[in-house]
């Protein structure tokens, strides 16, 4: 307890310093005549976190090519360094991790910044280690629900997890006892599924997860490639994942493809700005991530996938997009897990579609980096597009005949995807769209503005 109080004091001092350093910066996006070019977007965030975390407990040296060097992933690398793991950047995107048999107890609080994935996966991993550590984050992360993770992880009574109201900061004392866990996921959350799997890797026990609504499976794929005894089978209701822990993981040599969640901003930019044509290379096409492509196809988007192949165990391909006359569609809620991060930018596409688009199954949107359910509705209404929220759905009344008015100042509330979505909308509105704070963009897509401007955007 004493150690924790000291840590928190240190952290608050540290936090004040950081708050002084990072200043809010506005950005403004202006109407442009076209978006054109062939380019790559940054590496996949989900796979980047997992490659650092899993290689930290593997045997030997792991080589990671094209790691996403954005704030969220850098915070995961810093946390692992605090835990005594040797994580080294060799050159741009090229990283080496020396796996460690036992983590050291960290001297400082582990600050995961804005990252729910970083915080939740690390918490899971630490539950299976003999260390005591405290995890915290920025104002956005401190407000996000952690009970979904702490509850199943606390079934093992030798693991201690302390928090106030199930929010960060959380102090965890992990344990290495044998403990069989069987759990049915109450929400389609890859963070929850992965946290539970990570907690069971070292235990000579079984971790069984029933997954009624399957979602991104990067952890399962990576564990398999590292020699873990993990099987995924179909059961009556979804997937059954069985991990027999206690087997040493072999090291990784992985090339990380580009993130479809980042590519989605460019895809929609090309669709809504007339005379546009772009190719985004080497994008992850894992079937649990491509809901945005299905949704845009339903809206008659002109998108073609070429050069399909497999890279380090994941499907990848190039995405070719041309400006399109979009048509509104009623999106089935079953698509939600495979495009959960893409709703803000899909809502922008819907603003330019003919007729009504309904986005369904949006309950999880209310607990993301910000309440995206509200942010989408407010942002569209502020820019002259009618959007109505109904329970867990949003109806968007697109205007295919007139260019939306735009002209608003969007409050981003530390949410990178809200910030980038409305900057994309500003590329084709009568009046420019401004965001109040661009700092969160660097959590996932640090070169967003430069890259967009290089293909014809005008974001200042
Ligand atoms: C992620 C899972 C999703 C997603 C997040 C990344 C992951 O969160 O929104 O950006 O890498 O596991 P949930 O698990 O909360 O659905």
């Amino acid at each position: 307890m004493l150690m924790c109080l000291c840590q928190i004091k240190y952290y608050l001092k540290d936090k004040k310093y950081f708050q002084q350093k990072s200043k809010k910066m506005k950005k403004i996006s202006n109407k442009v005549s076209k978006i054109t070019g062939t380019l790559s977007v940054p590496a996949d965030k989900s796979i980047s976190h997992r490659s650092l975390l899993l290689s930290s407990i593997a045997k030997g040296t792991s080589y990671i090519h094209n790691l996403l060097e954005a704030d969220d992933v850098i915070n995961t690398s810093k946390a692992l360094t605090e835990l005594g793991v040797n994580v080294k950047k060799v050159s741009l995107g090229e990283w080496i991790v020396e796996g460690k048999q036992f983590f050291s107890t960290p001297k400082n609080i582990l600050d995961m910044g804005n990252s729910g994935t970083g915080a939740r996966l690390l918490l899971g991993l630490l539950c299976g280690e003999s260390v005591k550590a405290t995890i915290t984050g920025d104002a956005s992360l401190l407000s996000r629900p952690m009970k979904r993770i702490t509850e199943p992880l606390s079934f093992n009574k030798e693991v201690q997890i302390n928090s106030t109201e199930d929010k960060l900061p959380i102090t965890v004392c992990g344990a290495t006892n044998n403990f069989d866990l069987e759990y049915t996921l109450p929400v389609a959350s890859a963070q929850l599924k992965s946290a539970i799997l990570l907690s069971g890797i070292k235990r000579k026990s079984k971790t069984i997860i029933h997954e009624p609504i399957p979602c991104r499976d990067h952890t399962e794929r990576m564990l398999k490639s590292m020699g873990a005894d993990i099987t995924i089978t179909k059961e009556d209701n979804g997937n059954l994942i069985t991990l027999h822990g206690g087997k040493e993981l072999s090291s990784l040599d992985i090339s990380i493809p580009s993130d479809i969640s980042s590519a989605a901003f460019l895809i929609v930019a090309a669709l809504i700005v007339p005379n546009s044509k772009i190719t985004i290379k080497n994008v992850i096409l894992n079937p649990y991530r491509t809901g945005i492509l299905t949704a845009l196809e339903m809206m008659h988007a002109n998108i073609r996938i070429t050069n399909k192949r497999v890279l380090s165990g994941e499907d990848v391909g190039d995405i070719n997009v041309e400006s399109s006359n979009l048509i509104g569609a009623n999106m089935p809620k079953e698509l939600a897990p495979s495009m959960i991060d893409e709703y803000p930018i899909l809502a922008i596409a819907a603003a330019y579609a003919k007729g009504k688009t309904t986005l369904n199954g949006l309950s999880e949107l209310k607990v993301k980096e910000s309440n995206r359910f509200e942010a989408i509705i407010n942002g569209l209404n502020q820019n002259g597009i009618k959007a109505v929220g109904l329970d867990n759905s949003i109806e968007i009344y697109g205007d295919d005949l007139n260019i939306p008015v735009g002209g608003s100042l969007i409050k981003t509330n530390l949410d990178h995807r809200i910030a980038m979505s409305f900057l994309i909308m500003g590329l084709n509105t009568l009046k420019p769209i401004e965001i109040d704070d661009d700092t969160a963009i660097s959590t996932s897509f640090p070169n967003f503005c430069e890259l967009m401007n290089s293909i014809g955007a005008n974001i200042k």
Side-chain angles (χ1 to χ4, degrees):
M1 186 63 191
L2 188 65
M3 184 189 83
C4 281
L5 285 176
C6 294
Q7 281 186 336
I8 287 169
K9 230 166 111 191
Y10 172 91
Y11 167 73
L12 289 174
K13 245 172 67 196
D14 215 40
K15 186 91 185 167
K16 215 166 143 200
Y17 169 72
F18 277 115
Q19 275 167 355
Q20 277 164 3
K21 260 181 67 177
S22 60
K23 264 183 73 192
K24 278 190 179 187
M25 288 286 282
K26 283 186 179 175
K27 278 273 182 300
I28 187 156
S29 176
N30 302 280
K31 189 168 180 330
V32 292
S33 57
K34 62 178 178 191
I35 294 288
T36 50
T38 297
L39 72 170
S40 298
V41 296
D44 190 77
K45 185 150 70 72
S46 293
I47 299 182
S48 293
H49 281 297
R50 286 160 172 81
S51 60
L52 288 176
L53 290 166
L54 289 182
S55 51
S56 75
I57 56 163
K59 185 175 186 319
T61 306
S62 288
Y63 297 89
I64 306 173
H65 313 284
N66 196 32
L67 184 84
L68 172 65
E69 293 178 5
D71 294 352
D72 278 7
V73 177
I74 297 299
N75 283 328
T76 293
S77 82
K78 285 183 183 164
L80 291 171
T81 305
E82 279 287 337
L83 289 157
V85 181
N86 188 6
V87 183
K88 253 192 344 220
K89 173 173 169 167
V90 180
S91 58
L92 188 66
E94 299 294 313
W95 289 62
I96 287 180
V97 181
E98 308 282 352
K100 201 157 192 293
Q101 203 180 357
F102 304 109
F103 285 166
S104 332
T105 291
K107 291 199 182 68
N108 297 308
I109 285 184
L110 308 175
D111 187 349
M112 305 312 286
N114 191 259
S115 178
T117 307
R120 290 176 174 143
L121 268 59
L122 182 65
L123 185 61
L125 189 64
L126 291 176
C127 283
E129 295 280 329
S130 300
V131 283
K132 179 175 184 178
T134 299
I135 299 177
T136 193
D138 69 7
S140 155
L141 189 53
L142 292 182
S143 71
R144 297 183 68 183
M146 291 293 153
K147 190 165 183 199
R148 56 179 60 188
I149 309 282
T150 54
E151 200 170 75
L153 291 175
S154 305
F155 289 162
N156 180 351
K157 293 294 171 223
E158 291 201 18
V159 168
Q160 284 174 36
I161 300 177
N162 294 312
S163 64
T164 311
E165 290 173 8
D166 289 298
K167 300 265 167 76
L168 293 179
I170 288 178
T171 298
V172 56
C173 289
T176 54
N177 59 317
N178 293 339
F179 178 76
D180 289 340
L181 177 67
E182 181 161 2
Y183 190 64
T184 301
L185 298 175
V187 277
S189 163
Q191 292 176 0
L192 171 54
K193 171 173 65 169
S194 303
I196 295 172
L197 286 173
L198 291 181
S199 75
I201 295 172
K202 285 197 178 170
R203 295 205 166 91
K204 291 194 176 77
S205 318
K206 263 192 296 189
T207 302
I208 298 174
I209 301 179
H210 300 274
E211 189 187 23
I213 306 168
C215 54
R216 67 188 75 188
D217 61 353
H218 309 304
T219 305
E220 297 91 302
R221 285 177 190 237
M222 205 177 281
L223 278 172
K224 210 174 219 171
S225 79
M226 297 172 88
D229 185 351
I230 183 169
T231 54
I232 299 108
T233 51
K234 296 266 170 249
E235 56 182 357
D236 282 352
N237 191 10
N239 284 347
L240 172 68
I241 305 165
T242 309
L243 171 70
H244 291 267
K247 202 168 163 205
E248 199 165 51
L249 297 183
S250 52
S251 56
L252 274 178
D253 189 346
I254 187 172
S255 294
I256 304 181
S258 292
D259 197 329
I260 191 165
S261 300
S262 296
F265 299 107
L266 283 78
I267 295 172
V268 172
L271 291 173
I272 66 168
V273 176
N275 311 312
S276 297
K277 190 174 177 175
I278 59 165
T279 298
I280 313 163
K281 296 183 80 70
N282 206 32
V283 181
I284 186 159
L285 297 174
N286 176 307
Y288 295 117
R289 298 288 300 280
T290 48
I292 182 69
L293 300 179
T294 310
L296 291 170
E297 259 166 40
M298 287 172 66
M299 297 172 77
H300 295 213
N302 186 347
I303 298 177
R304 262 182 326 114
I305 308 294
T306 51
N307 201 13
K308 272 194 198 168
R309 61 206 182 279
V310 173
L311 178 69
S312 298
E314 294 279 4
D315 298 334
V316 301
D318 299 346
I319 302 181
N320 307 274
V321 192
E322 290 184 38
S323 323
S324 304
N325 295 322
L326 298 174
I327 315 276
N330 187 7
M331 301 301 168
K333 68 176 189 315
E334 288 71 25
L335 271 183
S338 63
M339 58 172 182
I340 194 64
D341 292 336
E342 283 66 77
Y343 281 106
I345 192 63
L346 180 59
I348 302 301
Y352 292 81
K354 182 175 180 171
K356 182 169 88 172
T357 296
T358 309
L359 310 179
N360 298 299
L362 306 185
S363 55
E364 282 293 298
L365 244 55
K366 298 171 187 172
V367 289
K368 291 293 175 191
E369 284 82 331
S370 73
N371 181 338
R372 288 183 180 160
F373 188 86
E374 279 179 7
I376 289 171
I377 296 168
N378 294 340
L380 289 177
N381 287 335
Q382 278 173 28
N383 287 295
I385 293 293
K386 183 177 164 195
V388 182
L390 311 157
D391 196 12
N392 289 326
S393 300
I394 300 177
E395 290 178 350
I396 299 166
Y397 295 84
D399 192 345
D400 63 318
L401 297 176
N402 300 301
I403 295 172
V405 183
S408 78
L409 173 67
I410 298 289
K411 213 169 162 337
T412 56
N413 290 318
L414 290 176
D415 191 326
H416 54 142
R417 301 203 195 281
I418 294 298
M420 290 186 276
S421 295
F422 284 96
L423 288 175
I424 294 294
M425 187 175 186
L427 300 177
N428 193 15
T429 46
L430 290 177
K431 296 183 200 160
I433 294 182
E434 206 172 0
I435 59 164
D436 69 334
D437 181 11
D438 75 340
T439 48
I441 293 177
S442 61
T443 63
S444 65
F445 200 156
N447 62 340
F448 172 77
C449 295
E450 294 78 4
L451 200 66
M452 286 308 306
N453 288 343
S454 76
I455 54 171
N458 180 358
I459 302 173
K460 289 184 188 124

